[in-house]
Amino acid sequence: MAEFTLELNEDQKQVRDWLHGFAAEVIRPAASEWDEREETPWPVIQEAAKVGIYSLDFYAQQFFDPTGLGIPVAMEELFWGDAGIALSIVGTGLAAVGVLANGTEEQIGTWIPQMYGDADDVKLAAFCSSEPDAGSDVASMRTRAVYDEAKDEWVLNGTKTWATNGGIANVHVVVAVVDAELGSKGHASFIVPPDTPGLSQGQKFKKHGIRASHTAEVVLEDVRVPGHCLLGGKEKLDERLARARERAKSGGERVKNAAMATFEASRPAVGAMAVGTARAAYEVALDYAKTRTQFGRPIIDNQGIAFQLADMRTRIDAARLLVWRASWMATTNKPFTSAEGSMSKLYASETAKQVTAQAVQILGGNGFTREYPVERMHRDAAIYTIFEGTSEIQRLVIARTLSGMPIR
């Protein structure tokens, strides 16, 4: 078991510096263009694939880092470059985590490579959980999966929304209801292979921030997938549903559903994304405050500005520590007895929102224009308190974990 340390080892430092260089030299120069275009930045993704960042090997190396810090370090550096482009590069990872969290070894080996492709033929994947009437309220999910025993196929019908890479992905991971009576415990995850009939893209959303990342509805109309596309397999699903039914009758312990298993595994990573965006905005504000002169001196000489920067840096460092702790705990199989994963996502998300707003304020009128990047960073930061569990949901998870009470 790896010892916890705040000092990155040499391999981690090399990866961090390599990613920082890519973010500075490739991502940042393209950030404004793709934000304005509101399109998937294919050239940047292809460049990331060419150098080995957008690849299964790189993702696996970071995911299986024994300290747990591989993924958060990588996310922070990429999102320091630009949140929208970085999300286009790492968006496939959420679908991959869905397979890792719920799939068999055979499914992991079969499908995750197909989510990335290679440098000559880049592929994408999408994780589809939210619905028009089921965001935070996952128990209201309406997408259904019905088993056709005669053909050993599952038939999926419904509409998913807010799906990163939705509709343009080669592989979709779809969460659907298999037993409506069990609420959120009656959900399962399915792989929808490339070119499966019945799956189509619905509305593509024009967003406030992260505009270089494709977000759309995914419509499923009598989508038939083979039985082996049920993540975890039918035997495991039947056993899980049987336990859920028994516990529902007896009022026993709760059973995690497929979507929640994915989100729990990814929350510290989202926190690291937020830290990267916050750090980027802080650095712009710090440099600006040192060079912007008013009343004959740099504005950082004023306590009103200097104290803001001190608070910004303090919050960023505290957020990173919470993310690193949760990532280390997850990797070393230490239980989140105080909802440490949710804590990290909550604090880092709120930090990104606050720090980017302060950066805009420090830059004044310049901060409100697109000539400076903090305006874009502030728009991007808003998503962290919303996706993969809103800040309100994180607080609910933390409160329930601490109190043991069914707080609503």
Side-chain angles (χ1 to χ4, degrees):
M1 182 179 293
E3 293 292 330
F4 179 77
T5 175
L6 296 178
E7 180 69 27
L8 298 179
N9 61 41
E10 288 306 312
D11 288 342
Q12 291 166 331
K13 289 177 182 177
Q14 287 182 10
V15 171
R16 178 199 63 193
D17 294 346
W18 172 50
L19 291 173
H20 186 81
F22 183 85
E25 296 165 15
V26 180
I27 294 178
R28 280 206 168 176
S32 179
E33 175 189 351
W34 292 99
D35 178 72
E36 293 287 347
R37 291 175 64 167
E38 299 192 52
E39 297 174 357
T40 300
W42 284 106
V44 183
I45 297 174
Q46 288 166 346
E47 185 64 23
K50 190 165 136 187
V51 300
I53 294 173
Y54 186 82
S55 71
L56 173 58
D57 286 345
F58 174 75
Y59 184 81
Q61 287 174 12
Q62 305 318 308
F63 188 85
F64 292 111
D65 181 327
T67 69
L69 300 185
I71 290 293
V73 167
M75 294 301 106
E76 180 176 338
E77 294 306 324
L78 291 173
F79 280 74
W80 172 89
D82 176 69
I85 291 178
L87 191 57
S88 287
I89 294 173
V90 308
T92 289
L94 185 58
V97 168
V99 176
L100 284 169
N102 300 295
T104 64
E105 289 186 10
E106 182 179 357
Q107 289 169 330
I108 292 170
T110 298
W111 293 110
I112 293 184
Q114 294 187 50
M115 294 179 173
Y116 288 92
D118 55 45
D120 297 321
D121 186 18
V122 174
K123 306 291 186 184
L124 296 176
F127 183 74
C128 308
S129 176
S130 294
E131 298 184 3
D133 296 319
S136 299
D137 183 11
V138 294
S140 296
M141 191 177 292
R142 295 181 180 177
T143 297
R144 296 290 189 265
V146 178
Y147 185 55
D148 184 341
E149 189 170 359
K151 295 184 178 180
D152 185 27
E153 292 179 337
W154 289 88
V155 184
L156 280 62
N157 282 281
T159 299
K160 295 295 182 179
T161 194
W162 311 123
T164 299
N165 298 333
I168 65 171
N170 302 90
V171 178
H172 290 76
V173 177
V174 177
V175 182
V177 178
V178 294
D179 188 330
E181 293 183 358
L182 291 175
S184 62
K185 311 305 182 296
H187 297 175
S189 292
F190 299 85
I191 292 284
V192 180
D195 303 318
T196 299
L199 184 147
S200 62
Q201 179 184 308
Q203 175 187 5
K204 178 187 174 182
F205 296 103
K206 296 181 74 66
K207 305 188 298 294
H208 174 67
I210 55 167
R211 302 198 312 195
S213 174
H214 176 96
T215 309
E217 291 181 330
V218 174
V219 180
L220 305 126
E221 297 178 303
D222 291 328
V223 172
R224 286 183 168 268
V225 299
H228 61 76
C229 286
L230 166 64
L231 290 180
K234 193 164 188 307
E235 183 177 347
K236 183 178 178 181
L237 172 65
D238 289 341
E239 291 175 356
R240 179 167 62 81
L241 294 178
R243 290 197 304 271
R245 293 185 191 104
E246 284 300 314
R247 284 166 177 157
K249 290 178 183 177
S250 63
E253 62 183 289
R254 301 172 63 192
V255 181
K256 294 176 183 176
N257 66 63
M260 290 302 103
T262 300
F263 291 140
E264 284 186 8
S266 64
R267 275 172 181 156
V270 176
M273 298 173 189
V275 171
T277 300
R279 188 182 114 213
Y282 159 77
E283 290 176 0
V284 172
L286 177 63
D287 289 343
Y288 185 88
K290 288 178 177 179
T291 57
R292 172 68 168 170
T293 300
Q294 290 287 280
F295 305 106
R297 61 182 183 177
I299 62 173
I300 199 170
D301 283 355
N302 300 307
Q303 286 186 2
I305 300 296
F307 284 8
Q308 282 193 72
L309 288 162
D311 287 343
M312 291 158 73
R313 177 58 186 267
T314 300
R315 283 189 64 101
I316 291 167
D317 282 13
R320 184 185 297 109
L321 289 174
L322 284 170
V323 167
W324 282 18
R325 179 184 69 169
S327 301
W328 172 75
M329 290 177 69
T331 297
T332 53
N333 296 314
K334 295 188 180 297
F336 287 168
T337 55
S338 299
E340 287 86 353
S342 290
M343 283 185 183
S344 71
K345 200 267 185 185
L346 169 65
Y347 193 80
S349 298
E350 294 292 341
T351 291
K353 200 169 179 179
Q354 179 174 325
V355 166
T356 55
Q358 288 176 291
V360 171
Q361 190 69 24
I362 289 172
L363 269 67
N366 286 326
F368 199 66
T369 72
R370 295 189 185 181
E371 296 301 313
Y372 287 80
V374 292
E375 176 272 340
R376 184 181 66 252
M377 293 168 182
H378 184 42
R379 287 189 286 108
D380 291 340
I383 194 59
Y384 299 125
T385 62
I386 297 171
F387 74 172
E388 293 199 50
T390 64
S391 289
E392 291 74 20
I393 289 296
Q394 305 308 324
R395 291 185 176 99
L396 186 63
V397 170
I398 296 166
R400 285 176 173 175
T401 303
L402 296 177
S403 69
M405 302 297 289
I407 299 169
R408 294 186 182 279

